[in-house]
């Protein structure tokens, strides 16, 4: 039995993680951390888990939790994990950080985009970027995993094979991403109110969203050279789902069969990546509630560009599901343990 | 391994059933029946199951299917199951009918409300109304189960204990029900278009909806006398969920603790019925994607009435989940096998 | 040119009123009052009016405003208008209060349901309940109009003719109402977040909602005797719209033609009330953005009950539109001036 | 009094046009054309106009209509207007075609993208592309106006000033567009069902959407050379609204003030184009129900690109409103007659 603790359990990502873990027989949640709801039953904060998690939330105490848990998930605001994690904690429990604190290797870049100073840069080098499809082996032995952002997960998986194979000009990459509203979190902000979001859409964080350097760093590793992208996220009136539409100029003439073969080569053994049939475009409804990423593309010979498309559930593959996928790897379990949910439709 | 066949697999209820069955290790789906998509891969019709159900749909052939399957689910329009079922089929496979064909014992009532003549009234007596919370034992040995309607399931569970205990005047029962749009099915009707449903709500089938006699029959058994109700369904712009708000006059003065105790007495051992704490009202989001029914009530001393409230996911407890719950009972399995999903939120 | 001031202009109702007034050539808004946005341009708070209302919001100052305006609208929390209004103000400007402060004649009932003490009960007697369909003549000469609540407007118009004619037993009235989310206001509450509201529905304020005594008082006047009702509001995932489904037992046998004739008798001269054809049920989409109330009914001979249904846009006929309708009457204008908008669909 | 006829009045665009025209005192609709609803009252097909348009729909007969009307709107499928229009009709009535039949000057391009042969290419030269912001003077004297598509309207207005001024490299233009579902029309297609659209998003018509050549043709005129663009439309779960996010590489270094000044130079006298303040991004909710186009941009010095953004209501500025704007010009009226509606929020 794996003993798991969640700090930040009452945010949307933390609660989704709790839901996924509660459905397993081989994991016990020993700590529902929440600053806002200390002492209140978790199942009163999220009544979906009534009957499964009728235990009180506890305050943050990562050091104490490390003594009680085998694995700690931090689904917390930027800066928290970096400010709490210690060598002692890492020697006692595995840590999977759902925040951005350990995603970016260059602390200067982190501090520039996140506008905070990093409290424990000494752990950045050992932290493994938790995208199993590229870092599977390192994750297995990691003490500290930086769980990827929702947009970076979807963007990277969509672009990865073609960048790796040098088939697209990395100077021309444009990523237009759209997200459901759960990505904005459970904070009571005006812009997250039902009547403000419903029946509307907008771009936000244009040319300045903090997931940009994360995407760029990972693509740069793959490309073997620095990559800059234009990344524009949009808010769409729905709960879950991220759709990425990415554009790039081809480096040489390609037909659809060739491109499909490249995607298949990279993903056919990946349980969670489904490369669609030619002509199909991803739709978020077909991945909702699951850890799948659906990927497809369309060539545009008129402009010599390719349009690459990917869809994930931002709460699952974009956050809690991927965190559990990482946990599985770190504990030597089958990677899809507890993650075989088929997407729910409608 | 239970071999299951679904006739009507490409409707919403059939597809939800397929999704639930596919997530099990002890069930194999041997037949995806669909008049509209014969020969087309089921996973092309419902891309959420891509990778899990890449097999072609077959035409209807209940007799053939009975030879290949241990259990047949008919998620078909009214009249189909009654027109196909035979003694031979029932001797070969268990049948769980998600249509209304065998829900109503009085064939005259059936024919009056459904405007069709019943093709096999000889099987009505043996058919068991598949609401496990009241007919658990009979279901275990049934050959033919009539899976309840979505509104009747939610309405009945909401009212049952108080009717049984004689605490409400059954002449005063009013059931105001609201449903998400998946209940309308996947037929391409004008009234089901996104722009017709979104940002609107309406009552429909007022004083004439065909679930009325089904509710009345079950409540009459419980009351031990004929019960007539006012039942009004409404269409609400959301995918899943039924909310029932039921009103009745109390037969005697009651306090909340007493009523709560009655509900608890009936439901505390029921895995799928969650009686809420006093003061809480059911919300469909807390049951979405699960087989739970959340039940609550509020006394109104000013009018000597009680307001009873229930919420289910119409696709799960209101259709496919309950069908699988019945299957579990019929095969001697734990009733919640494959049905422990925690509701998905958001 | 009528000079109008709005206190509470940056709430949803106040902003809707601003929008409606801005579309008129015969009204000038001289004061956008807002505690939260003092000094900020109104068109920055509500960018829909960009180009039409690029003027800064002012703080509350009803006394000052009375010197500058011909009419003051208070779209403010309960208690504000009562705490500010004075004889001097009423002698200088007409006041239309969109809060509940002057809707209820019995100050004890007000204080019991609203849990605040009334700061100026001396003005209650002269305040006119601003439902033009019943109080048209008194409104014309009123200094102080209490603009009705959204639920009471829809409930009352739905029930009024049949109560007035004694055709329904007023001891049996049950009002099940459903509202879009704009009725919850623009406050940043957890329960108003997009992901909390979307894909869900719930009852709230069961047997305790503060619109109950308002409905009862108005129906009591019509019935000529005290009327108590069961009133249950529900929250539905849509922006605008209220749907009322009301139930009552008939006092005598009636056919549809007779009931239709009664409704027509009361409403055929009313510009804003549309009695639907027999068999039609109101849908909120057909009134959205307009000041119309669509009304219909269905007899249920099996139970000797009638189901009465009404739909309005809660922001227009349920708030700002009706306020402007009252303003028109108070200034001797055609009642539908500026209110002839045809509902917007889709 | 302008006598107007609408062929295709019962589609969403036709009905929106009817709604806008019905709100005017100087226009009378003399013909509601509809193949599907001949003989049925228009107000039964669209109950929002109940009381305003209780007249039966007529079959298509453009020749007859030309004798009865001053202006004919064809809100019809591609090919209809081209197949019906004649010299005689054009000599009798002005024609505003909301379909694509006369938008594209090169009939070969039209036939290639629309897969139909053009029935009256002889009228293509005289047809004026009805985007008043660029073709105002020609529209005033036109007999035949080709009302622009929804995506082209929004895309063009977003890009126009910068293309015209040569500030962006037209070889790098990528247009990622998102639309509400009303753009898909009222046809009863599976993909337009509520449960298929709700809680999902997808790209469609990738690299093949028929609005592409229309956008390219108009931009080519402005650029003075052929322009090819990557254009990807997306379907979003909302009723109304188009959001365009366009990307291009700058031809020289620019600061925000300079770009803002360029936009202002082109649009400050345009009633319907609102250039947002620096830092603001368009949101469809702020234009819903209105004829406004909200435009903004963001420079991205890291990539030397600019992100240009525009939002319109696809039913108004993207279809019916622009058609009425054209009508106003053709009849010598103020361009915004009947089009001063302030966007409705929420």
């Amino acid at each position: 039995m794996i003993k798991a603790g969640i700090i930040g359990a009452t945010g949307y990502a933390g609660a989704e993680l709790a839901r996924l873990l509660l459905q397993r027989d081989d994991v016990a949640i020993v700590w529902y951390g929440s600053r806002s709801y200390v002492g209140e039953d978790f199942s009163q904060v999220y009544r979906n888990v009534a009957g499964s998690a009728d235990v009180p939330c506890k305050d943050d105490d990562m050091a104490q939790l490390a003594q009680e848990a085998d694995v700690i998930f931090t689904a917390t605001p930027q800066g928290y994990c970096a400010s709490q994690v210690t060598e002692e904690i890492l020697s006692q429990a595995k840590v999977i950080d759902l925040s951005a604190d350990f995603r970016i290797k260059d602390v200067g870049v982190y501090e520039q985009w996140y506008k905070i100073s990093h409290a424990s840069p000494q752990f950045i080098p050992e932290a493994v970027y938790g995208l199993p499809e590229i870092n599977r082996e390192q994750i297995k032995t990691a003490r500290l995993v930086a769980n990827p952002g929702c947009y970076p997960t979807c963007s990277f998986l969509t672009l990865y094979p073609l960048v790796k194979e040098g088939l697209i000009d990395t100077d021309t990459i444009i990523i237009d991403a759209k997200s459901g509203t759960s990505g904005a979190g459970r904070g009571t902000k005006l812009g997250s109110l039902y009547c403000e979001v419903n029946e509307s859409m907008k771009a936000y964080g244009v040319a300045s969203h903090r997931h940009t350097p994360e995407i760029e760093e990972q693509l740069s590793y793959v490309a073997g050279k620095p990559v800059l992208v234009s990344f524009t996220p949009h808010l769409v009136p729905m709960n879950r789902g991220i759709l990425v539409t990415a554009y790039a100029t081809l480096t040489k003439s390609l037909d659809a069969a060739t491109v499909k073969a490249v995607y298949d080569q990279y993903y056919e053994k990946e349980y969670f990546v489904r490369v669609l049939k030619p002509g199909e475009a991803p739709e978020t409804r077909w991945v909702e509630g699951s850890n799948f990423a659906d990927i497809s593309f369309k060539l545009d010979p008129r402009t010599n560009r390719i349009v690459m498309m990917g869809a994930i559930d931002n709460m699952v593959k974009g956050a809690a599901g991927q965190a559990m996928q990482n946990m599985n790897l770190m504990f030597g379990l089958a990677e899809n343990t507890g993650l075989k949910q088929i997407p729910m439709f409608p």
Side-chain angles (χ1 to χ4, degrees), chain A:
Chain A
M1 183 72 71
I2 299 170
K3 286 176 286 181
I6 305 171
I7 301 184
T10 54
Y12 284 147
E16 177 70 353
L17 182 57
R19 184 179 74 90
L20 291 173
L21 293 172
L22 284 167
Q23 293 182 146
R24 296 177 64 151
D25 295 326
D26 60 342
V27 180
I29 301 179
V30 298
W31 190 292
Y32 295 91
S34 170
R35 285 198 181 157
S36 308
Y37 296 99
V38 177
E40 202 166 329
D41 271 11
F42 185 72
S43 62
Q44 285 299 105
V45 185
Y46 284 93
R47 273 174 34 198
N48 53 327
V49 299
S52 301
D54 303 330
V55 293
C57 295
K58 299 179 186 175
D59 204 347
D60 299 344
D61 189 341
M62 200 167 172
Q64 177 61 32
L65 175 52
Q67 297 178 32
E68 304 182 14
D70 302 310
V71 59
I72 298 171
F73 297 92
T74 47
T76 42
Q78 319 308 332
Y80 173 83
C81 186
S83 74
Q84 299 295 313
V85 72
T86 62
E87 178 59 34
E88 189 174 4
I89 287 172
L90 289 174
S91 70
Q92 294 170 318
K94 301 175 195 299
V95 173
I96 300 174
D97 178 26
L98 282 76
S99 85
D101 284 2
F102 295 98
R103 293 178 192 159
I104 292 174
K105 290 298 174 194
D106 183 334
V107 69
V109 171
Y110 173 88
E111 295 185 340
Q112 174 194 339
W113 287 80
Y114 285 90
K115 318 282 186 209
I116 51 177
S117 78
H118 199 291
S120 55
Q122 71 275 20
F123 296 118
I124 295 179
E126 79 160 289
V128 177
Y129 189 72
L131 197 54
E133 285 75 11
I134 48 165
N135 293 330
R136 185 166 286 121
E137 294 311 312
Q138 301 95 300
I139 292 165
K140 289 180 182 174
T141 57
R143 299 195 304 173
L144 173 57
V145 162
N147 208 58
C150 51
Y151 287 124
T153 295
C154 194
S155 300
F156 183 85
L157 292 175
T158 301
L159 286 155
Y160 166 46
L162 301 194
V163 171
K164 182 75 177 178
E165 296 294 318
L167 300 178
I168 56 178
D169 177 354
T170 55
D171 289 340
T172 65
I173 296 174
I174 287 169
I175 300 172
D176 191 284
K178 301 92 181 164
S179 176
T181 304
S182 56
R186 214 187 195 197
T188 50
K189 297 170 290 189
L190 178 62
S192 295
L193 291 186
Y194 182 84
C195 288
E196 309 289 318
V197 171
N198 189 40
E199 294 297 295
S200 192
M201 50 184 162
K202 65 174 178 183
Y204 67 99
V206 184
S208 61
H209 192 277
R210 302 188 294 187
H211 281 173
T212 310
E214 184 181 338
I215 297 168
E216 291 176 343
E217 178 176 327
Q218 295 302 320
L219 289 180
S220 297
Y221 295 144
V222 173
K225 61 180 177 185
V227 173
L228 294 183
V229 302
S230 288
F231 170 66
T232 312
H234 297 76
L235 188 69
V236 173
M238 47 192 288
N239 284 348
R240 289 173 180 240
I242 281 181
L243 185 70
V244 157
T245 311
Y247 304 83
T249 300
L250 296 167
T251 53
K252 58 177 174 181
S253 182
L254 290 169
D255 61 17
T258 305
V259 177
K260 176 69 162 59
V262 169
Y263 273 111
D264 285 342
Q265 171 193 339
Y266 280 78
Y267 291 140
E268 69 190 346
K269 292 183 182 162
E270 292 294 341
Y271 183 87
F272 293 120
V273 182
R274 303 190 296 193
V275 179
L276 304 186
K277 292 191 171 61
E280 293 179 348
E283 309 184 25
T284 60
R285 59 178 167 151
W286 300 130
V287 297
E288 187 181 351
S290 83
N291 203 49
F292 289 121
D294 280 5
I295 309 284
S296 187
F297 69 91
K298 184 74 183 292
L299 291 166
D300 184 7
R302 300 168 63 253
T303 60
N304 194 36
R305 292 195 190 102
I306 185 168
V307 185
M308 297 150 284
M309 296 166 280
I312 63 168
D313 183 324
N314 60 303
M315 301 293 287
V316 188
K317 185 62 178 170
Q322 186 145 270
M324 206 163 87
Q325 187 181 358
N326 283 316
M327 185 196 83
N328 288 336
L329 288 168
M330 295 165 89
F331 284 85
L333 303 173
E335 194 169 329
N336 62 9
T337 307
L339 284 170
K340 295 179 193 164
Q341 292 86 356
I342 293 175
M344 193 169 84
F345 172 81

